[in-house]
Amino acid sequence: MAAKKQAALQFDMSTVTGLGGFTKGHLSKYRARAQKAAARVVNEAETGKLGFWRMPSFWLSGSRFRTLQKQANELGKRYENLVVVGIGGSSLGTRMLLNALGHRYHNERPNETRGGMRLYLLENNDPDSFLALMEHLDLTKTVFNVISKSGSTAETAGQFALVLNTLRSEFPDNWQDHLVFTTDPEKGSLRPFAKEHGITCFDVPPDVGGRYSVMTTVGLLPALCAGLDVRGFLKGALEMAERCSNSDWKSNPAFYCGAVQVAADQEAGKNMVVMMPYADRLRDWTEWYAQLWAESVGKRLDESGTKEMGCGSTPIKTLGAIDQHSQMQLYMEGPSDKLLVFLRVGAFGKSVKFPPKTQLPEDLHYFSGHSMQELIQAEQTASRFALRKMNRPSYQIDLPAVSGHSLGQLCFWAMAKTAFAGYLYGINPFDQPGVELGKHYAYGLLARAGFESYAKEIASAKAPKDEDIL
Amino acid sequence: MAAKKQAALQFDMSTVTGLGGFTKGHLSKYRARAQKAAARVVNEAETGKLGFWRMPSFWLSGSRFRTLQKQANELGKRYENLVVVGIGGSSLGTRMLLNALGHRYHNERPNETRGGMRLYLLENNDPDSFLALMEHLDLTKTVFNVISKSGSTAETAGQFALVLNTLRSEFPDNWQDHLVFTTDPEKGSLRPFAKEHGITCFDVPPDVGGRYSVMTTVGLLPALCAGLDVRGFLKGALEMAERCSNSDWKSNPAFYCGAVQVAADQEAGKNMVVMMPYADRLRDWTEWYAQLWAESVGKRLDESGTKEMGCGSTPIKTLGAIDQHSQMQLYMEGPSDKLLVFLRVGAFGKSVKFPPKTQLPEDLHYFSGHSMQELIQAEQTASRFALRKMNRPSYQIDLPAVSGHSLGQLCFWAMAKTAFAGYLYGINPFDQPGVELGKHYAYGLLARAGFESYAKEIASAKAPKDEDIL
């Protein structure tokens, strides 16, 4: 237990209230609602109603994990490259895992040292990216993992159609072997196609939405194929799930941080929440987090669908220390419209000591005796202190390391926090009704049957006047 | 001239005012100040006072460009890998150029097809990244381009010290050959070191600051080494410089868009400006832009240093269509606190047609007859239309292609717009006084001589109470 404790994430909330007009009183206003939201999350978790919450124990009980690991190993024996065809919730988790737990030059490394398959993503339906990848790959050594619960996501479906065409012409006898699907166990268009052609399928639980799906086969299979520490990731998540099952919102890190983010937004005008990890390995974590938070809390209507809300703070992706040379000027001196969240790493992989004074020009003498890790940590401490001096609120998450175990805790905390924050805002954190309209207009523009009225509406909109074009 | 017109960027401002409470009246309030700011920028450009403005014509007149190209070719003959050691303004432009104009898998491609050197970046002082790169590279084939005007940027200086140490031990006789510097022509600590050891130096004009330096040797040398279309980039920039020399702010795209961004922020509560290109090649452009805008307009004091301002909207980096599956829900339904800027690409590299109906499952029939380009363009049109329907203001930039020529226009426009917007806000868009405090605290923590008081201040700050730690 002692070892477990040591490796737990720690949340330092000492520079949140009392800064930038955000007070303890603001937080206190939320007490009753926070208690209710906390009880609800814990109850839904206990009764199995929160799909994402079940995932760590689902995998770590029985032989499920071993089976999945074996399936990944089989793919790795047959192929060198795994291409994920997926977008949004079907790709951001995988990208995060590779960035955090893989070697920085994973795909460029030789087979002997890579420790897993090369991992590529076909996310955007950008023809330049699609062609670049198809030209780049040796298709005989490549398997495509098409990930879509419904099978109808336009970007994924379109690229799947193109990949399918290519595979059929390259491998007329065994094109099926170059495909695996990750999709709904019953519904959607990929499942019947897989049955017809004998394509391997991996299930996504129907009650786990895209942005909460990193701990399903969506994120786990590609990560296992790439040789990443998935077991540690799940173990960390499980420990955080236990920690977040505490319905006392003030001592529960997911609930307390969620309450802070909602109250800072709604009471103190901090309509942005800046995620600022100080580690290159957490760059893509901020992208995963940005989807999770934005798509969950950005809602027009309350949960009952009757009251206008128009709520949700905007997540900002940054990276320390790089963004000290980019965004910090604005954070220090611009409007006080942000809550910052620092992610600090306790121990990097290996220590890199700066050279002794004798080998440094005089103005760099101050480096000697220190390590790179000490420099980046000093910069993080200094930034937080300087922001506090400028009256800007922030909180800090201490990660023992960027390991599977830390990342699993961090991701689970983020999901639990987001669900709680959604309930606290008073909205449904699991739907995304606002993206349908844009899809319908796009279908209309592509003359898809059933969407004629949307095409007409765009066609009948007034063209820009000459004076509006520069 | 006809060809030139065809390839010019176009700005569609028809969905800006009249939406989300942002009115023509708000813009009109700025007329007098905008006229003044426009006249000032044009005058400073004409009299050579704006360093960045001179750059395109500097390079394209006489033999300067040919000389730089020759120097890059020489490096390419001797080495396969160029590592840029630089951060912020010394790296973001290079990253943008490689992403936009290079092959998506540039570094992974074989020598025969790559068309230039591999290009790596040592930006952050992250020990994991540093070790990963040093292990990955064949140092005999590698040259390091250390980029820092002052030579004292901590991240760059620290990594330079480490690289220097490694080179000296690997190549005791010719370690100097593996280094080139890009720095101030006179000042700073790199220059005397270079003179002493015979290291090649490239000049950065003293009056061009980091975030405005992509068209100096800072961005151009690495881009030339990688074989990118730098001449097209500069030509596009020169054409935009001519277009932006028009002091009528309403017909000048840099000035008009700048006025829109300032007025939307200050008059209509849009404290975020979202950059949303629909092309993977423009992903890193948003990162370059975010530094340019945030560090330029985020200021506490007015230009005279007397009046409290605390101004500056926050730039948000996104990527279409990926962020339709991440941020769009919030943009559609969350608070109306954003101005969106769409970047639309007219023609991608090659056309990719979707397969005919006979080869598609029935629910994907709507793809057939269309290309990937049409799909991504339809999604962009649909998103803009849907946002307009939800009463959200936006404007759109049409790029003929993601070419050097288009990118040069886009970057120059962004710099001219930012300088103008700074004057319109009433602040100095060329300094960054707010980042000094954090640096001083970091020096204090590292026990650098002269910064003892900062160390003391941090040491004497109260430790967090137990109740603040979760």
Side-chain angles (χ1 to χ4, degrees):
Chain A
M1 280 307 285
K4 203 189 244 184
K5 272 275 179 236
Q6 240 184 5
L9 261 52
Q10 187 170 290
F11 301 79
D12 177 349
M13 312 301 290
S14 64
T15 52
V16 173
T17 54
L19 293 168
F22 182 42
T23 67
K24 276 201 195 302
H26 289 143
L27 253 184
S28 302
K29 278 177 70 177
Y30 284 74
R31 191 184 303 136
R33 279 161 58 194
Q35 280 170 352
K36 217 174 128 188
R40 177 171 173 190
V41 172
V42 171
N43 175 266
E44 290 181 347
E46 280 172 358
T47 54
K49 279 182 198 145
L50 287 182
F52 77 86
W53 205 292
R54 294 193 314 268
M55 291 302 109
S57 60
F58 173 86
W59 288 110
L60 292 174
S61 56
S63 60
R64 289 191 188 103
F65 183 79
R66 274 198 304 280
T67 305
L68 190 65
Q69 174 81 69
K70 213 179 278 179
Q71 289 170 301
N73 292 349
E74 285 302 316
L75 286 175
K77 277 179 207 155
R78 285 158 51 207
Y79 301 104
E80 282 182 18
N81 310 312
L82 182 83
V83 180
V84 167
V85 187
I87 194 165
S90 299
S91 68
L92 294 176
T94 297
R95 224 206 281 164
M96 163 186 71
L97 288 165
L98 181 62
N99 173 220
L101 306 179
H103 189 280
R104 172 128 179 176
Y105 302 99
H106 182 86
N107 283 352
E108 292 179 52
R109 302 186 90 194
N111 287 347
E112 308 84 61
T113 54
R114 202 186 316 110
M117 299 172 78
R118 288 186 209 94
L119 182 51
Y120 296 91
L121 298 165
L122 277 178
E123 304 177 84
N124 218 355
N125 53 303
D126 177 317
D128 290 352
S129 297
F130 181 80
L131 284 177
L133 184 61
M134 296 304 271
E135 283 167 21
H136 182 64
L137 292 175
D138 178 349
L139 288 182
T140 60
K141 297 180 179 168
T142 303
V143 59
F144 292 84
N145 182 194
V146 182
I147 307 184
S148 175
K149 272 175 84 172
S150 66
S152 67
T153 310
E155 295 84 357
T156 303
Q159 293 190 89
F160 166 53
L162 289 162
V163 165
L164 184 62
N165 232 22
T166 306
L167 292 177
R168 276 175 160 158
S169 84
E170 292 274 324
F171 312 107
D173 301 327
N174 67 334
W175 56 269
Q176 299 93 332
D177 298 344
H178 292 263
L179 285 169
V180 295
F181 293 165
T182 304
T183 189
D184 189 277
E186 304 283 341
K187 291 183 195 160
S189 56
L190 289 175
R191 186 64 61 171
F193 187 88
K195 275 190 189 146
E196 190 185 337
H197 298 287
I199 293 163
T200 307
C201 271
F202 294 87
D203 293 353
V204 189
D207 64 342
V208 183
R211 59 188 180 270
Y212 292 91
S213 73
V214 66
M215 292 171 195
T216 72
T217 51
V218 170
L220 303 186
L221 179 69
L224 283 171
C225 287
L228 310 179
D229 178 21
V230 174
R231 192 185 283 275
F233 178 70
L234 290 167
K235 280 187 176 172
L238 187 65
E239 287 172 30
M240 186 55 83
E242 285 165 17
R243 204 171 155 190
C244 292
S245 297
N246 165 11
S247 65
D248 173 28
W249 70 281
K250 282 203 146 182
S251 60
N252 181 318
F255 301 166
Y256 191 70
C257 295
V260 161
Q261 290 183 204
V262 175
D265 172 24
Q266 296 211 313
E267 305 297 319
K270 315 301 175 203
N271 64 342
M272 292 173 246
V273 55
V274 179
M275 283 288 149
M276 195 159 187
Y278 274 69
D280 285 346
R281 286 182 179 276
L282 292 171
R283 180 195 289 265
D284 287 346
W285 185 82
T286 64
E287 190 127 354
W288 175 83
Y289 178 82
Q291 184 202 15
L292 176 66
W293 182 259
E295 209 167 44
S296 297
V297 303
K299 298 287 153 74
R300 182 168 79 90
L301 297 174
D302 73 347
E303 205 175 352
S304 69
T306 52
K307 194 176 149 201
E308 288 284 337
M309 304 290 290
C311 67
S313 62
T314 299
I316 311 271
K317 306 168 276 190
T318 66
L319 180 62
I322 288 183
D323 277 305
Q324 293 184 189
H325 301 265
S326 168
Q327 303 302 296
M328 192 52 76
Q329 167 66 36
L330 175 67
Y331 299 169
M332 287 286 287
E333 296 202 337
S336 182
D337 49 13
K338 297 170 187 75
L339 169 70
L340 271 95
V341 182
F342 288 104
L343 282 80
R344 179 191 177 92
V345 173
F348 288 78
K350 275 186 202 166
S351 177
V352 181
K353 291 256 179 218
F354 289 112
K357 280 186 189 171
T358 50
Q359 287 170 45
L360 288 173
E362 201 175 332
D363 58 337
L364 302 185
H365 277 189
Y366 72 94
F367 283 115
S368 86
H370 296 295
S371 65
M372 286 188 88
Q373 173 173 313
E374 285 175 288
L375 173 58
I376 198 166
Q377 287 172 339
E379 291 189 274
Q380 189 273 323
T381 302
S383 287
R384 183 166 172 233
F385 199 79
L387 281 164
R388 174 189 185 171
K389 188 112 181 171
M390 293 297 281
N391 205 21
R392 314 283 155 141
S394 69
Y395 69 86
Q396 177 174 317
I397 308 173
D398 281 282
L399 288 85
V402 187
S403 60
H405 186 255
S406 281
L407 192 72
Q409 293 180 70
L410 186 66
C411 289
F412 195 93
W413 164 82
M415 294 192 289
K417 179 185 72 164
T418 302
F420 170 86
Y423 293 156
L424 201 55
Y425 270 118
I427 53 84
N428 179 352
F430 300 111
D431 64 358
Q432 53 282 334
V435 299
E436 294 307 311
L437 187 62
K439 285 186 195 172
H440 293 171
Y441 285 129
Y443 291 147
L445 287 167
L446 296 171
R448 183 176 184 179
F451 297 88
E452 294 78 4
S453 66
Y454 294 94
K456 260 187 208 156
E457 196 185 336
I458 292 191
S460 68
K462 277 183 202 150
K465 293 177 207 151
D466 281 352
E467 69 199 56
D468 287 328
I469 305 291
L470 298 177
Chain B
M1 280 307 283
K4 202 190 246 183
K5 273 275 178 233
Q6 243 184 0
L9 262 52
Q10 188 172 290
F11 300 81
D12 178 348
M13 312 301 290
S14 64
T15 53
V16 173
T17 54
L19 293 168
F22 182 41
T23 66
K24 275 200 196 303
H26 288 143
L27 254 182
S28 302
K29 279 177 69 177
Y30 284 74
R31 191 184 303 139
R33 279 161 57 194
Q35 280 170 352
K36 219 175 128 188
R40 178 172 171 189
V41 172
V42 171
N43 175 266
E44 289 180 347
E46 279 172 359
T47 55
K49 279 180 200 148
L50 289 181
F52 77 85
W53 205 291
R54 294 193 316 266
M55 291 301 111
S57 61
F58 173 85
W59 288 110
L60 293 173
S61 56
S63 59
R64 290 191 187 103
F65 183 79
R66 274 197 305 278
T67 305
L68 190 65
Q69 174 81 68
K70 215 180 276 177
Q71 290 170 301
N73 293 349
E74 285 303 315
L75 285 174
K77 276 180 209 155
R78 284 159 49 206
Y79 301 104
E80 283 182 19
N81 310 313
L82 182 83
V83 179
V84 167
V85 186
I87 194 166
S90 298
S91 69
L92 294 176
T94 296
R95 222 206 281 164
M96 162 186 72
L97 288 165
L98 181 63
N99 173 220
L101 306 178
H103 189 280
R104 173 132 177 171
Y105 303 97
H106 182 85
N107 283 352
E108 292 179 51
R109 302 186 89 194
N111 287 349
E112 309 84 60
T113 55
R114 201 186 319 111
M117 299 171 78
R118 288 186 209 93
L119 183 51
Y120 296 91
L121 298 166
L122 278 178
E123 303 176 86
N124 218 355
N125 53 304
D126 177 317
D128 290 351
S129 297
F130 181 81
L131 284 178
L133 185 61
M134 297 303 272
E135 283 167 18
H136 182 64
L137 291 176
D138 178 349
L139 288 181
T140 60
K141 297 179 179 170
T142 302
V143 59
F144 292 85
N145 182 194
V146 183
I147 307 184
S148 176
K149 273 176 84 172
S150 66
S152 67
T153 310
E155 295 84 357
T156 304
Q159 293 191 88
F160 166 53
L162 289 162
V163 165
L164 185 61
N165 231 23
T166 307
L167 292 176
R168 277 176 160 157
S169 83
E170 292 275 325
F171 312 108
D173 301 327
N174 67 334
W175 56 269
Q176 300 91 332
D177 297 346
H178 291 264
L179 286 169
V180 295
F181 293 166
T182 304
T183 190
D184 189 278
E186 306 284 342
K187 293 181 195 162
S189 56
L190 289 175
R191 186 64 61 172
F193 188 88
K195 275 190 189 147
E196 190 184 338
H197 298 286
I199 293 163
T200 307
C201 271
F202 294 87
D203 293 353
V204 190
D207 64 342
V208 183
R211 60 189 180 271
Y212 293 90
S213 72
V214 65
M215 293 171 193
T216 71
T217 50
V218 170
L220 303 186
L221 178 69
L224 283 170
C225 287
L228 310 179
D229 178 20
V230 174
R231 191 185 282 276
F233 178 69
L234 290 168
K235 280 187 177 173
L238 187 64
E239 287 173 30
M240 186 55 85
E242 285 165 18
R243 204 171 155 191
C244 291
S245 298
N246 164 14
S247 65
D248 173 28
W249 69 282
K250 283 203 144 181
S251 60
N252 181 319
F255 301 165
Y256 190 70
C257 294
V260 161
Q261 289 183 203
V262 175
D265 172 23
Q266 296 212 312
E267 306 296 320
K270 315 301 174 204
N271 64 343
M272 292 172 245
V273 55
V274 179
M275 283 288 149
M276 194 160 188
Y278 274 70
D280 285 346
R281 286 183 179 277
L282 292 171
R283 180 194 289 263
D284 288 345
W285 185 82
T286 64
E287 189 127 353
W288 174 82
Y289 178 82
Q291 183 201 17
L292 177 66
W293 182 259
E295 209 167 45
S296 297
V297 302
K299 298 287 152 72
R300 182 167 79 91
L301 296 174
D302 73 347
E303 205 174 352
S304 69
T306 52
K307 195 177 148 199
E308 288 283 338
M309 305 289 291
C311 66
S313 61
T314 298
I316 311 270
K317 305 168 276 191
T318 67
L319 180 63
I322 288 182
D323 276 306
Q324 293 184 190
H325 301 265
S326 167
Q327 303 303 296
M328 191 53 74
Q329 167 67 35
L330 174 68
Y331 299 168
M332 287 286 286
E333 295 203 337
S336 183
D337 49 14
K338 296 170 186 75
L339 170 71
L340 271 96
V341 182
F342 288 105
L343 282 80
R344 179 189 177 91
V345 173
F348 288 79
K350 274 185 203 169
S351 178
V352 180
K353 292 259 179 212
F354 289 113
K357 281 185 189 173
T358 51
Q359 288 171 43
L360 288 174
E362 201 175 332
D363 59 335
L364 303 184
H365 277 188
Y366 72 95
F367 283 116
S368 87
H370 295 297
S371 64
M372 286 189 87
Q373 173 173 313
E374 285 174 286
L375 173 58
I376 198 166
Q377 288 172 339
E379 292 189 274
Q380 189 273 321
T381 302
S383 288
R384 184 167 172 232
F385 199 80
L387 281 163
R388 173 188 183 173
K389 188 114 180 170
M390 294 298 280
N391 205 22
R392 314 283 154 142
S394 69
Y395 70 87
Q396 177 173 317
I397 308 173
D398 280 281
L399 288 85
V402 187
S403 58
H405 186 255
S406 280
L407 192 72
Q409 293 179 69
L410 186 66
C411 290
F412 195 92
W413 164 82
M415 294 193 287
K417 179 185 70 165
T418 302
F420 170 87
Y423 292 155
L424 201 55
Y425 270 118
I427 54 84
N428 179 353
F430 300 110
D431 64 359
Q432 54 281 335
V435 299
E436 294 307 312
L437 187 60
K439 284 186 197 173
H440 293 173
Y441 286 129
Y443 291 147
L445 287 167
L446 295 172
R448 184 177 182 177
F451 296 89
E452 293 79 5
S453 65
Y454 293 96
K456 261 187 208 154
E457 196 184 336
I458 292 191
S460 68
K462 279 182 201 151
K465 296 177 206 152
D466 280 351
E467 68 198 56
D468 287 328
I469 304 291
L470 299 177

